[in-house]
């Protein structure tokens, strides 16, 4: 399971980065840590009071989470955490797979010339896997994919990919669906090698790798009595 902190003990820490982004991260960490579970309300006023901020940036952060489909606004009841299931995975991951297929095609030459960014993430992922550090496995796994998209050097592609909230959805899948991480360090190592060797099938390899998350989620729920 992912073990991330609750609301910070020292709300003054929020001042070090843009307020809306900091509050958004606090809310996401609350979802990941289990403070707010599917169906529960997130009371805007209460969060603002705890963080000693006005309600406006909290409201903005909640809107961002709504665009990620993590929360929903219910008339006369405010924001609550969406119920999350395999259907969400079935909708999100094919879109992500398609984006990463395009990214791999655009990034093939740059990553063949210099795959060091991918190799660094593979090494970090291997270390996290050896330690059994799930949070770090998620972080480096997602960062590996982000490096592929970044190497494509297409701002529209990057913006669209980031808008999917890949790291958040991966972490929530592990927690809420009790899904084991399908993305193993060996999978990423093979993809990095495929870029380095200019394997023409690397795009399909990456796309299939992403789609395997859905299969893993389905298998995870099938095990549930």
């Amino acid at each position: 399971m992912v073990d991330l902190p609750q609301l910070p003990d020292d709300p003054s820490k929020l001042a070090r980065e843009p307020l809306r982004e900091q509050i958004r991260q606090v809310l996401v960490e609350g979802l990941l840590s289990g403070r707010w579970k599917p169906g529960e309300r997130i009371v805007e006023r209460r969060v603002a009071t705890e963080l000693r901020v006005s309600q406006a940036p909290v409201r903005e952060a909640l809107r961002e989470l709504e665009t990620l489909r993590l929360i929903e606004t219910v008339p006369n009841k405010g924001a609550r955490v969406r119920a999350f299931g395999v259907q969400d995975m079935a909708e999100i991951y094919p879109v992500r797979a398609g984006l990463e297929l395009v990214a791999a095609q655009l990034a093939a030459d740059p990553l063949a010339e210099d795959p060091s960014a991918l190799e660094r993430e593979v090494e970090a992922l291997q270390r996290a896997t050896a330690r059994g550090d799930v949070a770090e496995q998620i972080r480096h796994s997602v960062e590996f994919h982000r490096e592929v998209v970044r190497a494509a050097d297409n701002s529209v592609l990057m913006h669209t990919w980031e808008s999917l909230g890949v790291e958040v959805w991966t972490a929530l899948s592990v927690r809420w669906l009790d899904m084991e991480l399908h993305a193993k360090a060996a999978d990423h190592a093979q993809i990095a090698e495929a870029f380095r060797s200019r394997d023409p099938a690397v795009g399909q390899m990456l796309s299939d790798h992403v789609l395997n998350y859905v299969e893993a989620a389905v298998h995870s729920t099938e095990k549930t009595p």
Side-chain angles (χ1 to χ4, degrees), residues 52-72:
R52 301 175 202 164
V53 299
S54 69
Q55 288 182 231
V58 176
R59 189 177 304 120
E60 291 175 2
L62 287 170
R63 284 174 183 161
E64 290 189 18
L65 296 186
E66 190 168 14
T67 65
L68 291 178
R69 301 173 67 218
L70 295 174
I71 68 169
E72 58 188 357

Side-chain angles (χ1 to χ4, degrees), residues 84-101:
F84 174 71
V86 173
Q87 182 58 37
D88 294 273
M89 301 279 289
E91 293 179 359
I92 292 169
Y93 278 88
V95 174
R96 177 184 164 190
L99 292 174
E100 294 196 23
L101 175 59

Side-chain angles (χ1 to χ4, degrees), residues 174-195:
V174 171
R175 179 174 181 81
W176 289 356
L177 296 180
D178 199 24
M179 186 185 76
E180 294 182 3
L181 282 173
H182 179 79
K184 307 297 184 184
D187 299 333
H188 291 82
Q190 291 172 0
I191 294 169
E193 172 58 26
F195 275 112

Side-chain angles (χ1 to χ4, degrees), residues 26-169:
V26 166
L27 293 172
V28 167
E29 290 175 352
L31 294 175
L32 295 176
S33 66
R35 170 172 181 159
W36 294 293
K37 298 178 175 59
E40 282 192 38
R41 290 183 62 205
I42 300 179
V43 182
E44 181 182 302
R45 183 177 62 256
R46 186 177 302 161
V47 173
T49 299
E50 290 186 38
L51 296 179
R52 301 175 202 164
V53 299
S54 69
Q55 288 182 231
V58 176
R59 189 177 304 120
E60 291 175 2
L62 287 170
R63 284 174 183 161
E64 290 189 18
L65 296 186
E66 190 168 14
T67 65
L68 291 178
R69 301 173 67 218
L70 295 174
I71 68 169
E72 58 188 357
T73 301
V74 181
N76 303 318
K77 293 185 178 180
R80 71 177 182 186
V81 182
R82 285 186 66 244
F84 174 71
V86 173
Q87 182 58 37
D88 294 273
M89 301 279 289
E91 293 179 359
I92 292 169
Y93 278 88
V95 174
R96 177 184 164 190
L99 292 174
E100 294 196 23
L101 175 59
V102 173
Q105 293 168 343
L106 295 175
D109 286 341
L111 290 177
E113 294 172 5
D114 182 12
S116 60
L118 299 185
E119 293 168 350
R120 282 195 300 271
E121 295 305 325
V122 168
E123 291 172 2
L125 180 55
Q126 289 171 334
R127 292 193 295 270
T129 300
R131 295 194 306 270
D133 189 332
V134 176
E136 284 296 287
Q137 287 180 67
I138 291 171
R139 187 168 76 85
H140 291 295
S141 173
V142 173
E143 194 58 33
F144 176 95
H145 290 266
R146 182 175 284 114
E147 289 293 351
V148 174
V149 179
R150 185 177 290 124
D153 195 24
N154 184 302
S155 60
V156 174
L157 180 62
M158 173 61 82
H159 175 76
T160 306
W161 187 87
E162 290 286 4
S163 73
L164 295 177
V166 173
E167 187 162 12
V168 174
W169 277 110

